[in-house]
Every structure is written in C-alpha cells, then in structure tokens.
C-alpha cells in the first residue's frame, strides 16, 4: 500500500552522506554550489497524496542557494530584481528571490505518478502512458535562516516532504518558498475565431470552387464564431510559490531540462468544440458561391424536367451552369443537381479545413515563439477569497486545463484570481510612432499617426541543437478626418517551416508572406464612397470589371440603410508566390510600374477620364514611366503633362482639373505629396533582390532585416502601396496557378439592428 512516508526513507542516512557539511551553516559560502547531494535511489517507494499515487525512484538531489549570484539549473531561484526593471514580455518572474540572512535548500526527486481518483481527466500526462502512469520530477524549495546548520535542516525538511500535486502542501508554503512539477503532457485550452475573419483571410480558397471570372460575397454576423479545443503536447514546468501571506503565485512554462525524457518537438492539435457552429457559416458560404438563395436553388432542382422551370428559374439554372463550370451546351437538371450536391460537400470540407488551419496557425505560431523561460500562463490565487475553490484551481493548473483559471482571471475582484499573462497575449514591440493632431472647434478634427515596427524572435533548443525563427516588419499610417478614418499598412513576415538544425536557420529555410491592407471607417457611406471603394477593389483584382456595377449597387444599399460602416481591402501573397514575387519586384521595371501608377490614380466620379482604370492607365501610365526614368522632371512638370494628355484625349474638364486644382489627387500633387517616387521604387527593388539572392544562395536569416528596411520604402505612402497592389495584381493575374495563391478580399462591416454584420467580397 502507498504510504505517507518521508524522503529520509529513500535517501537513507543523510548525515553520513553529507559527511563534513552536516555541522556547517547554511549561509556558508564555501559549501558546494549548487549541489550538496546527488543519490541514485536503490529502491522504489510508493507514496500517496490526495487521490494520486506516485512511486519515487531514479535520482534524488539536494541543492543549496545562499548567494545572490547562485545559478539554479531549474531557473526558479535568482537574485532579487531591480524594482524599476520591466520584465520582457511573457518572461516568467522568478518565483524564489535571494534575501539577506536566508538560504534555500531545493529537493528534487523523480517519480512515476498514477491517478486514482479525480485526476483521471487531468491533462498533464497523468494518462500519458499505458496504465495511466507518467514520469515526473518534483521540486521543493525550502527557506531557512542562514545561521541554521545543514544536517538538522535537511533532516527536518525530509521528515515533512512536500509535493506540488498536493493542494495542502502548496498551501503550507512560507513566503519565499516554492513547489514545482516537471512533466511531459498536454496543455489544454480553447480558442475562438470569428467566421467573418476566417472568410476575410481565406476567401480565395472558396473562389477555387467556381469558374474563372466570377464575383461572390459572403455575409455573416460579426458575432458568429467557431470554437476549438486546443491540445499542446510538450514538456512543462508547473510552479506554485508564495511571495506574501494569503497569496499563491502560479505559473506554467516550457521546460528544456537536460536529461529529462522529452519528445522531439511540441505538437499542437486543434479540433472543433461544436461542429454545429459551422452550419450558419456553411449556409452563407454556399449561397455566396451559388449567387442565389439556397432555398430557391433547391426548389428549382426539385423540378423533374427543364420544361417544368418557369422563366425566372430557367435563367437562374443557366447562370448556375456557367458559374459552377458544368460542361455541356445543354441545360440538364441531373448534372446541375449533382454539381450542387458536390459543391455543398466540398464547401463544408473546405470551411472545416480553413477554420482549423487558422486556429492551429494562431496557436502554433504564438507557441513556437515562446522560449523555455517564457510563462505560458501566470496568475495569483487569493487563498482567503477562493476558499475551497483553491483546491479546484490547483487541480486545473496541474491538469493543464487553463479554461477555469482564465474565466476566473477575467474578474479578479469577484473571483480571487488575478491573471498576469497568458500565451496568446499581444507582444508586438513598437519601434517608431509619430503623429499629428489638428482640431477645428468641437465639430471636426484631423489626426494621423504613422506606425512602424519590427519584431523578430529566435527560439533555440540547445539540447537538440536546433532553432526556429520568426520575423514581422510593418509600415502603416492611421488618420482621422471628422467622423471618417483611414488606415493603411503593409506587413512582411517570415517564419521557420519547422525546427532547423544548428544555431540559426538560413534565409532559404523560411516561409514568407506579404499582406497589404487599406481600411476605412465611414460615419455615413455615400454613393461616391461606394464608387471609389469598388474602383480600388477592381484595380486590386478583388472585384471583376464586369461585377463592379453590382458591387457598387450593393455598397450603396448598405450606405443608405446603415451607418458606422467599416470597409477594408486585403491582398495577401502567400509563400507559394514568393519565388515569382521577389524577382518581379527586383526587376526595377519602369514600364510596368508606370502602368501600375497610372491605374492607381484615384477615381473621380465626375471626370470620365478618371472613372475607369483602363482609361487612367492610357492617360497616365506613360507619363509616370517618363517621370521614373527622367530625374530632371519635377512634380510640376508631371502635372502639366497630365493636363495636356487629358486635353488631347478630349477630357477638357479633367485637363482643367489637372492644371488648376490644388486637390491632392491631381497627378502633380500626387507626385509631390508621395515624395521621392523614383528613389522609393529603386529601394524596394534593391531590397527584393537582396532577399531573393539570400534565399537562392542560402544566405543567413538576418538578411531579411535589411531587405525589409529597403522594401518598406516602397510602401510607406498610401498611393505607392495602391500602385504596388496593382503592379502585383496585374503580374499574377496572368498566371492562374499563381493567382490562386493570392488571397483577395473586400470586407464591409456594418450594424444591422442589434448586430454587426460582415460582408466579404472576392472574385475568381
């Protein structure tokens, strides 16, 4: 039978083993550091705590810490931090701090643990082996007076051994003491995603189910969510400590302790908490792809013959044949039924796949960036406030089940739990930020702020000599004009495909992506707003030229019926496109860039020469090319040339606008306000060539830093970023196999009654 016996039964005659150290003071700086005693346990001893049984065996160690510079192999003891120092984001606060006139004895033992009661559902490996046993390592940090003697102190500690799995032992901690548990296991949590965000980031995948050249829009409620259960399998350290009476600090972090049996790499798995949550999103997606209400499609498909369809149904059926790529010149309901059934099946499978991928990527990316000294979760438990709930939360932490702790931590005053950190909190580092603010009375204000940051994270596994790297560089601007606001930003990212042997991965071992975003918040969306938004959708390949009128009508209806409308445009170039994207940007193609700048010139409702991308390209493309190639041309020269080109094309009103107007959108003012267009495009090309050469030649991962700095010069200004999107869109659209790797979305969010609604547009 398991017994509540002490560790002295396991270690034997401690006085004999400690030999000459027995009568020395614990504060003696000449004592061995840090290990006083290491012993292989010759016999396994069963011990019981609460509803757990564990068998102590393997190796037992006693360490001593009595100086501020002492190094703890487990990382739980350190010198007291500078009161003014700010910890690194997510870095675990060391639970045991050196204090004068004190010394610490740390007891470490290996064990096999088996659940006998309530721990059967626990996740930290207590069901990890056949038979429900798992290997763990216990740590017990005892605080003593520095004048106490080694022998008697060790004897007293061993007679009252403590283990982190016992809530009673945790509550017995004195200030400055800690209990910890190292274990291979599974950390359990949950993650929730908005379906509207899933459609925004992956709408291109849905488009592949349609024929080329088709427009579609998915409408869902902004509150509609997909919930997932997340399991992260790895090696963890669970720590309970006390800094002051009445409070217990709890934390979980990764552990990379050498000599402990860990699996080769962490594994993250995601599964739906409730698949029924996909039904509403699935219906919205299917109706968007069909372009017709699902009930009406099913009604017409229920007709036995084509001859039974009324004119409206026949027209809808013929549209579906073209939209769904059904072969054959003759309308056959049997073929249409089969294709719609297949579409429903494929859409359901695709939605499940992309939602799980997005959830998995979010968790996996955050988790892979954390280091072994990073806290995955850290909180404070108020023992008095919690009462009996302390034991419940203690069990939850041991079980790797953070949901109860996160729920409690959302209201510390009411629950007695204060949440300090959690894995998925935002840890972006802002490098630069500058802005302006102008106020005109109480009714109108103009505010703007440019943002720039670079974040990189290197994670090293020294035990297996491998590394993982992630990098993000963002350039953006946010401005506000009265009730309306605008934001644009470009994000260049890179991350390791997996663990790379050695201290650092090469540039060729990274996956890259480029994301362009323009976002507008309108107090009231007008017809003119709808026109310029759809125009941007067309030049970025989100809306087809043929579908522009229908998209504009739909936006105008939204504007007429709803206020506080948010509109955003997304172009994301995934890793599969970078082999072409970088050489394309590095070509320094004045002709192609000139065409892109011409198409990107802003839309004007009342000027025929400005209301169509193709006409703008013909009017302005060659002028921009000349401006890029001839450094002697000024912005004023460009404005004069634009006026003359419009006059020759028969656009007298536009010619006068270009010649006389001080509007920001004349060609001359665009060149003036978006300064150094020539130099910026050259820098972008240099950066793209540098990164491409590093990837092709196996250069170091650090090359992305300078490449990103150079490339960002080409997208700092909104007009240049518009043109960049046009340039890449025109190049990739010519290659269907690459075009499929570019996610393009026009997202419209507005209030409808008590709910926010999101409409995502895209095209094939």
């Amino acid at each position: 039978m398991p017994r509540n016996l002490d560790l002295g039964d396991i270690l034997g005659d401690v006085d004999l083993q400690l030999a000459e150290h027995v009568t020395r003071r614990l504060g003696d700086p000449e004592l061995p550091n840090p290990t006083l005693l290491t012993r292989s346990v010759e016999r396994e001893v069963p011990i019981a705590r609460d509803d757990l049984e564990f068998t102590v065996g393997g190796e037992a160690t006693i360490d001593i810490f009595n100086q501020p510079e002492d190094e703890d192999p487990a990382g739980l003891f350190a010198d007291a931090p500078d009161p003014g120092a700010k910890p690194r984001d997510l870095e675990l606060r060391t639970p045991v701090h050196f204090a004068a006139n004190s010394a610490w004895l740390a007891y470490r033992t290996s064990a096999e643990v088996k659940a006998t009661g309530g721990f059967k559902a626990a996740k930290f490996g207590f069901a990890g082996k056949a038979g429900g046993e798992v290997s763990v390592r216990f740590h017990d940090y005892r605080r003593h007076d520095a004048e106490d003697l080694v022998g008697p102190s060790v004897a007293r500690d061993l007679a009252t051994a403590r283990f982190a799995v016992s809530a009673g032992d945790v509550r017995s901690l004195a200030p400055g003491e800690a209990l910890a548990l190292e274990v291979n296991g599974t950390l359990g949590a949950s993650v929730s995603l908005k379906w509207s965000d899933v459609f925004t980031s992956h709408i291109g995948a849905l488009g592949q189910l349609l024929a080329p050249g088709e427009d579609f829009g998915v409408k869902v409620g902004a509150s509609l969510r997909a919930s997932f259960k997340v399991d992260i399998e790895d090696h963890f350290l669970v720590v309970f400590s006390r800094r002051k009476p009445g409070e217990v600090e709890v934390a979980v972090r990764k552990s990379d302790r050498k000599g402990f049996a860990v699996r080769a790499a962490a594994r993250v798995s995601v599964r739906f908490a409730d698949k029924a949550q996909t039904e509403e999103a699935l219906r919205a997606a299917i109706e968007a792809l069909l372009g017709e209400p699902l009930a009406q499609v099913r009604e017409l498909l229920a007709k036995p013959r084509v001859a039974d369809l009324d004119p409206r149904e026949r027209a809808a059926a013929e549209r579906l044949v073209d939209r769904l790529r059904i072969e054959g010149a003759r309308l056959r309901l049997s073929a249409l039924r089969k294709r719609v059934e297949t579409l429903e099946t494929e859409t359901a499978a695709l939605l499940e796949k992309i939602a799980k991928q997005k959830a998995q990527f979010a968790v996996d990316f955050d988790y892979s960036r954390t280091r072994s000294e990073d806290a995955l979760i850290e909180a404070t438990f108020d023992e008095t406030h919690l009462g009996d709930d302390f034991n419940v939360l203690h069990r939850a932490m041991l079980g790797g089940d953070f949901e109860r702790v996160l729920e409690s931590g959302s209201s510390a005053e009411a629950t007695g739990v204060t949440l300090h950190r959690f894995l998925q909190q935002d840890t972006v580092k802002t490098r630069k930020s500058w802005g302006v603010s102008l106020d005109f009375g109480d009714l109108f204000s103009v505010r703007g702020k440019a943002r720039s940051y670079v974040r990189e994270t290197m994670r090293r596994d020294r035990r297996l000599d491998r590394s993982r790297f992630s990098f993000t560089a963002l350039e953006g601007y946010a401005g506000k004009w009265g009730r309306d606001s605008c934001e644009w930003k470009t994000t260049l990212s890179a991350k390791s495909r997996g663990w790379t042997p050695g201290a650092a991965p090469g540039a060729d071992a990274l996956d890259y992506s480029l994301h362009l975003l323009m976002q507008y918040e309108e107090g009231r969306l007008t017809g003119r707003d709808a026109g310029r938004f759809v125009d941007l959708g067309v030049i970025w390949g989100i809306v087809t030229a043929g579908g522009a009128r229908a998209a504009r009508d739909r936006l105008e209806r939204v504007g007429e019926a709803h206020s506080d409308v948010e509109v955003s445009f997304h172009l994301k170039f995934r890793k599969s496109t970078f082999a072409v994207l970088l050489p394309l940007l590095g070509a320094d193609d004045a002709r192609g860039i000139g065409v892109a700048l011409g198409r990107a010139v802003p839309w004007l409702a009342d000027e025929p020469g400005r209301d169509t991308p193709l006409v703008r390209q013909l009017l302005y493309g060659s002028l921009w090319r000349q401006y890029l190639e001839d450094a002697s041309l000024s912005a004023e020269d460009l404005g004069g040339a634009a006026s003359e080109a419009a006059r020759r094309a028969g656009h007298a009103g536009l010619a006068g606008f270009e010649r006389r107007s001080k509007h920001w959108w004349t060609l001359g003012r665009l060149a003036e306000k978006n300064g150094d267009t020539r130099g910026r495009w050259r820098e972008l090309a240099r950066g793209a060539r540098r990164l491409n050469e590093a990837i092709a030649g196996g250069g170091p991962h650090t090359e992305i830093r300078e490449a990103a700095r150079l490339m960002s010069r080409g997208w700092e200004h909104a007009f240049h970023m518009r043109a960049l999107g046009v340039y890449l869109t025109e190049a990739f659209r010519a290659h269907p196999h690459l075009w499929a790797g570019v996610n393009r979305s026009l997202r419209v969010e507005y209030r409808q009654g008590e709910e926010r609604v999101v409409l995502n547009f895209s095209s094939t």
Side-chain angles (χ1 to χ4, degrees):
M1 289 288 293
R3 296 172 290 162
N4 285 304
L5 45 85
D6 63 66
L7 289 180
D9 294 335
I10 301 169
L11 295 176
D13 191 340
V14 175
D15 284 355
L16 180 62
Q17 295 174 56
L18 290 174
E20 71 274 16
H21 306 314
V22 170
T23 58
R24 296 171 70 175
R25 295 181 305 107
L26 287 174
D28 187 344
E30 300 301 319
L31 283 169
N33 178 269
T35 302
L36 273 179
L37 171 67
T38 298
R39 178 184 170 110
S40 294
V41 179
E42 296 178 357
R43 62 189 182 94
E44 295 183 343
V45 179
I47 299 178
R49 280 291 194 277
D50 298 343
D51 49 9
L52 281 176
E53 297 177 3
F54 49 98
T55 303
V56 174
E59 185 178 83
T61 302
I62 303 175
D63 290 340
I64 186 166
F65 305 102
N66 57 19
Q67 301 297 317
E69 64 273 12
D70 287 348
E71 293 187 7
D72 180 7
L76 302 182
F77 172 89
D79 191 10
D82 183 341
K86 183 180 179 181
R88 194 182 66 81
D89 289 329
L90 290 183
E91 187 170 359
L92 176 67
R93 297 178 294 175
T94 306
V96 180
H97 294 150
F98 174 79
N101 303 316
S102 294
W104 286 260
L105 290 168
Y107 301 89
R108 316 186 200 279
T109 57
S110 299
E112 294 285 326
V113 179
K114 182 176 182 179
T116 59
F119 263 100
K120 287 183 179 177
K123 292 194 174 183
F124 265 155
F126 291 107
K129 285 187 176 182
E133 295 185 358
V134 67
S135 297
V136 302
R137 188 170 179 83
F138 291 113
H139 304 259
D140 181 4
Y141 287 71
R142 303 272 190 143
R143 184 175 184 174
H144 294 271
D145 189 288
E147 296 301 315
D148 290 346
L149 300 182
V150 171
S153 298
V154 170
R156 285 194 303 271
D157 292 346
L158 293 181
T160 55
R162 304 181 304 192
F163 300 93
V165 294
S166 168
D169 288 351
V170 170
R171 302 187 81 158
S172 74
L173 290 170
E177 295 187 334
L179 288 170
L181 168 73
E182 280 184 277
V183 61
N184 282 334
T186 303
L187 175 157
S190 59
V191 64
S192 178
L193 302 176
K194 290 184 178 181
W195 274 111
S196 57
D197 294 341
V198 174
F199 286 125
T200 299
S201 60
H202 288 79
I203 198 166
L206 283 175
Q208 296 178 42
L209 300 177
L210 295 179
E214 296 289 341
D215 293 271
F216 62 101
V218 185
K219 178 181 175 181
V220 294
S223 61
L224 185 63
R225 290 182 172 271
S227 298
F228 300 88
K229 294 293 185 182
V230 179
D231 290 331
I232 303 175
E233 296 180 64
D234 206 348
H235 185 207
F236 302 99
L237 181 67
V238 189
V239 185
F240 300 90
S241 61
R242 189 186 300 281
R243 287 191 172 87
K244 59 183 181 180
E247 293 184 353
V248 172
E249 307 285 331
V250 297
V252 177
R253 67 165 168 82
K254 296 178 182 179
S255 175
D256 59 359
R257 183 177 175 83
K258 295 181 179 179
F260 198 89
V262 295
R263 47 178 63 92
R267 293 199 295 266
V268 177
S269 61
V270 173
R271 63 191 185 281
F272 273 101
D274 182 4
K275 281 194 176 183
Q277 294 176 322
T278 66
E279 292 178 3
E280 187 176 340
L282 175 60
R283 184 181 184 87
I286 291 172
E287 290 194 343
L289 294 173
L290 292 174
E292 305 280 349
L294 186 56
Q296 293 181 17
V297 172
R298 286 176 173 165
E299 184 179 342
L300 75 85
L301 291 178
K303 302 288 179 73
R305 298 173 303 162
V306 172
D308 297 321
L309 302 177
D310 63 32
R312 182 194 61 79
E313 290 173 331
R314 186 180 180 98
E318 289 174 345
R319 284 196 300 271
L320 286 171
V321 167
D322 293 336
R323 191 173 177 86
L324 301 181
R325 292 183 292 188
I326 299 176
E327 297 180 359
R330 192 163 58 90
L331 173 60
R332 291 181 297 122
L333 286 181
S334 59
L336 184 56
R337 285 189 203 99
K338 184 176 180 180
R339 181 67 187 95
V340 171
E341 289 173 1
T342 302
L343 178 73
E344 292 188 43
T345 301
E346 291 175 341
T347 305
L350 185 58
L351 276 194
E352 181 175 342
K353 177 182 177 182
I354 61 179
K356 288 177 68 175
Q357 282 179 342
K358 188 172 180 66
Q360 172 125 8
F361 176 80
V363 177
D364 189 33
F365 185 59
D366 274 352
Y367 188 74
S368 69
R369 292 187 301 173
T370 59
R371 309 180 306 176
S372 60
E373 58 266 41
D374 291 340
L376 304 179
I377 187 170
E378 189 173 3
T380 299
F381 291 174
D382 184 324
E383 290 179 275
T384 302
H385 199 133
L386 283 170
D388 291 341
D389 281 344
F390 180 93
N391 294 1
V392 176
L393 292 178
H394 167 263
R395 183 62 53 88
M397 290 294 289
L398 284 177
D401 187 354
F402 295 166
E403 291 182 58
R404 179 70 180 269
V405 178
L406 293 173
E407 289 171 4
S408 300
S410 63
S411 179
E413 194 171 310
T415 63
V417 175
T418 303
L419 183 67
H420 303 298
R421 294 178 177 88
F422 182 55
L423 167 66
Q424 291 177 280
Q425 76 178 61
D426 185 8
T427 61
V428 165
K429 302 287 185 64
T430 300
R431 304 295 189 190
K432 295 187 295 180
S433 183
W434 60 94
V436 296
S437 178
L438 304 174
D439 289 295
F440 300 90
D442 296 327
L443 300 179
F444 190 80
S445 64
V446 178
R447 293 184 178 87
K449 178 169 285 189
R451 298 191 182 102
S452 175
Y453 73 70
V454 175
R455 156 112 190 216
E456 58 181 88
T457 302
M458 177 69 75
R459 185 185 173 199
R460 294 185 175 90
D461 181 345
R462 291 180 173 83
R463 187 181 67 85
L464 297 178
D465 187 26
R466 57 184 185 170
S467 58
R468 294 183 74 164
F469 175 75
S470 64
F471 175 92
T472 302
L474 178 146
E475 289 288 341
Y477 181 91
K480 187 172 180 63
W481 296 265
R483 291 186 63 197
D484 301 339
S485 65
C486 174
E487 179 178 3
W488 63 87
K489 60 185 177 184
T490 304
T491 308
L492 176 65
S493 300
K495 70 181 186 73
S496 297
R497 298 185 190 100
W499 287 101
T500 303
D508 57 342
L510 306 177
D511 284 335
Y512 300 85
S513 66
L514 179 67
H515 185 191
L516 311 184
L517 166 69
M518 301 199 78
Q519 180 170 315
Y520 302 86
E521 293 183 17
E522 303 290 329
R524 174 65 68 179
L525 192 150
T526 66
R528 286 178 180 268
D529 293 330
R532 65 188 175 92
F533 289 155
V534 170
D535 183 78
L536 178 54
V538 170
I539 64 176
W540 272 15
I542 300 168
V543 179
T544 66
R549 182 69 259 177
R552 182 173 175 179
D553 289 346
R554 195 164 183 180
L555 279 184
E556 288 178 348
R557 289 195 297 272
V558 169
E560 290 168 359
H562 309 283
S563 59
D564 296 326
V565 181
E566 297 177 11
V567 181
S568 59
F569 302 81
H570 303 257
L571 267 183
K572 185 165 186 179
F573 298 85
R574 304 184 189 281
K575 59 184 180 182
S576 59
T577 67
F578 260 68
V580 173
L581 183 145
L582 290 176
L584 185 68
L585 292 180
D588 204 4
D589 173 16
R591 179 186 176 282
I593 295 168
V595 167
L597 288 165
R599 290 177 69 87
V601 169
W603 176 90
L604 292 175
D606 302 325
E607 296 296 343
R610 280 284 194 99
D611 62 357
T612 307
L614 180 58
V615 175
R616 296 198 300 267
Q617 173 186 327
L618 295 173
L619 272 178
Y620 301 124
S622 60
L623 301 182
W624 277 114
R625 178 181 179 179
Q626 293 171 27
Y627 183 72
L628 291 172
E629 293 179 333
D630 186 351
S632 68
L633 288 177
S634 66
E636 186 177 355
D637 295 334
L638 184 62
S643 176
E644 178 61 21
R647 186 193 65 78
R648 288 198 306 269
H651 302 299
L654 181 58
F657 172 81
E658 294 285 6
R659 183 173 62 256
R660 295 187 301 272
S661 176
K662 294 298 183 182
H663 198 288
W664 278 32
W665 290 354
T666 64
L667 217 64
R669 293 279 280 175
L670 282 171
E672 177 187 343
K673 293 299 182 183
N674 297 271
D676 194 20
T677 299
R678 302 183 190 93
R680 289 177 182 279
W681 280 98
R682 284 196 296 269
E683 294 283 82
L684 189 154
R686 280 182 55 206
R689 288 195 297 270
R690 180 164 184 160
L691 183 55
N692 193 46
E693 289 166 3
I695 295 171
H701 70 283
T702 51
E703 282 295 298
I704 194 173
R705 297 173 188 162
E706 179 63 12
R709 186 190 70 79
L710 292 168
M711 293 173 71
S712 67
R713 290 271 295 152
W715 53 61
E716 282 181 349
H717 292 313
F719 177 60
H720 293 155
M721 196 187 86
R722 280 170 61 98
L724 174 63
V726 175
Y727 182 64
L728 294 175
T729 291
E730 293 304 305
F732 279 89
R733 186 155 34 198
H735 303 281
H737 66 290
L738 294 173
W739 191 227
V742 182
N743 194 77
R744 314 174 309 282
S745 178
L746 163 54
R747 176 188 171 107
V748 183
E749 182 172 341
Y750 54 93
R751 182 169 296 282
Q752 184 171 293
E754 297 299 316
E755 184 181 27
R756 298 286 294 179
V757 173
V758 178
L759 176 61
N760 277 291
F761 290 94
S762 192
S763 64
T764 59

